[in-house]
Amino acid sequence: SEAQVILLELIPYFTAPFSALGSSMILYAIWYDWRTTMRSLYHRLILGISLFDFCSSTSLIVLGPWAVPEHVEFTKFGRGTFTTCATAGFFFNFVFGTMWYSSFLALHFLLVVKFERQESKLALRFEPIAHAIPILIVLITSSYGVVEDLFNPMRELPGWCWYMDYPPYCSTREGTPECIRGEKYEPVSSTAGPSTVIPNFLIVIGSMIMIVLKVRHTEKQLRQYGHGQNGNLQRTKETAWQGLLYIFAFLIVYFPIVLLYFFGNRNTDDSKHKRVIFGASLMTKLLTPLQGFFNAYIYFNKRFWMLTREGECFELLRRIPVLGGWISDGRRATSGVRNVRPRSNHHNKPDNGYCQTHDEFEANSRTNQSTSKNERSPEEVRPEDEGTTLHHV
């Protein structure tokens, strides 16, 4: 109906800004402390996810429903041309780069948690593939779509342009008008669509299951031999839980696309089927533009922030109203976490909770390690104290 079309076209204007803001905050945080963040494979993968998501989310705001050609009958706000539609489709296709990066992030957590791989080794073999596949697939398919006029208005998702023939289904269904554009869209659509969605869902679900089984197996072994909870297990559980949150966000954001693809290919006028299509379209319009928002919530979650780097945070973010106080409140964030020691006050800096700049953190960590080792007997020195205080993510 007309009301449903208007609703589907306007929803991204309310959801996409949250995603663009979340991704831009992550990009800013990584850039501001790039000397530290760019050493970590985790942050480099998050950088890739956020770049692709920022481009796709921003395109939904800047190149919204108005970019659809005005004469298209299943749009209410179309004021553009096929050129503006192709431009919108080019950038919207970046959402599949976000999907690939999310899958490689899930694999990263799997390799670290279950197989205990070092990031330095993963950076040599795993990382080049993790960057090359999303970038090459997205850029090649997007460029080809523009050159071959494959980006056209979508009937099930009014206001968006992607791989489609025009008029819709003119190349696949009988009784439709002759194709004007995009009659060869299906091979590219399959490459960027099902050939991307299905493998990525298998990767993230498989990673989630193996991570959970690994943590449960480790806990069972420790209980069996009477060791209880130790510091290494606690850090493994925190890292695993953070990885699982990214996986949950992936499933929430992209599952509606799977439903829409499955039901959208059925050629029927059944009213029940139409209601299902509208429901899947509504969830897709509502959730797909929120990937950056969910990522930002996980990335900036103060519990993980404090466990990622004991006592360190970005000084500039502390000056932002509300957010700065939320990040700086380190005492309550770590009050229930074992093996997270408060930083020593053997320095002249004011106590800001556990929140420090990178330089303060590095200097205080060396002082704290030296002081705590001198104050304890040799048998009290734990193995983890001999290494760095920076956790893996």
Side-chain angles (χ1 to χ4, degrees), residues 41-54:
L41 174 57
Y42 162 73
H43 285 94
R44 293 194 292 269
L45 292 176
I46 289 292
L47 175 65
I49 293 175
S50 300
L51 282 172
F52 274 106
D53 180 77
F54 180 78

Side-chain angles (χ1 to χ4, degrees), residues 259-379:
L259 291 179
L260 186 61
Y261 180 81
F262 177 77
F263 290 103
N265 285 335
R266 297 173 57 186
N267 186 13
T268 177
D269 292 328
D270 181 62
S271 59
K272 183 178 180 181
H273 175 72
K274 289 183 177 180
R275 288 195 296 270
V276 172
I277 288 293
F278 174 73
S281 300
L282 184 63
M283 288 192 296
T284 300
K285 287 272 191 170
L286 181 65
L287 296 175
T288 300
L290 287 175
Q291 174 76 73
F293 172 78
F294 291 132
N295 288 345
Y297 174 79
I298 300 168
Y299 184 83
F300 288 109
N301 186 293
K302 61 183 177 181
R303 180 175 175 84
F304 294 133
W305 189 297
M306 306 321 299
L307 288 172
T308 297
R309 294 183 179 83
E310 283 179 36
E312 182 184 1
C313 73
F314 303 109
E315 183 181 20
L316 222 58
L317 292 180
R318 299 203 318 250
R319 301 176 184 176
I320 300 176
V322 181
L323 178 64
W326 185 65
I327 293 172
S328 296
D329 188 14
R331 294 193 183 278
R332 283 180 292 177
T334 58
S335 59
V337 182
R338 300 183 60 178
N339 294 304
V340 178
R341 301 186 302 279
R343 66 183 174 100
S344 172
N345 287 323
H346 297 293
H347 54 80
N348 296 324
K349 296 286 185 181
D351 191 353
N352 242 346
Y354 298 125
C355 210
Q356 309 165 67
T357 64
H358 173 68
D359 293 336
E360 291 173 342
F361 170 71
E362 293 288 348
N364 292 329
S365 295
R366 289 190 292 268
T367 302
N368 295 343
Q369 285 186 359
S370 176
T371 303
S372 62
K373 289 178 184 179
N374 292 335
E375 290 175 351
R376 288 181 290 173
S377 58
E379 61 270 15

Side-chain angles (χ1 to χ4, degrees), residues 22 26 40 53 56 60 99 111-112 143 154 184 212 238 261-262 297 302 307 320 343 368:
I26 294 176
S40 167
D53 180 77
S56 60
L60 295 179
M99 184 180 293
L111 292 171
V112 170
S143 301
M154 303 180 69
K184 299 179 181 179
V212 171
E238 295 295 343
Y261 180 81
F262 177 77
Y297 174 79
K302 61 183 177 181
L307 288 172
I320 300 176
R343 66 183 174 100
N368 295 343

Side-chain angles (χ1 to χ4, degrees), residues 193-212:
S195 299
T196 292
V197 173
I198 294 175
N200 281 288
F201 263 81
L202 294 176
I203 289 172
V204 297
I205 293 174
S207 299
M208 178 179 65
I209 294 173
M210 286 189 281
I211 288 173
V212 171

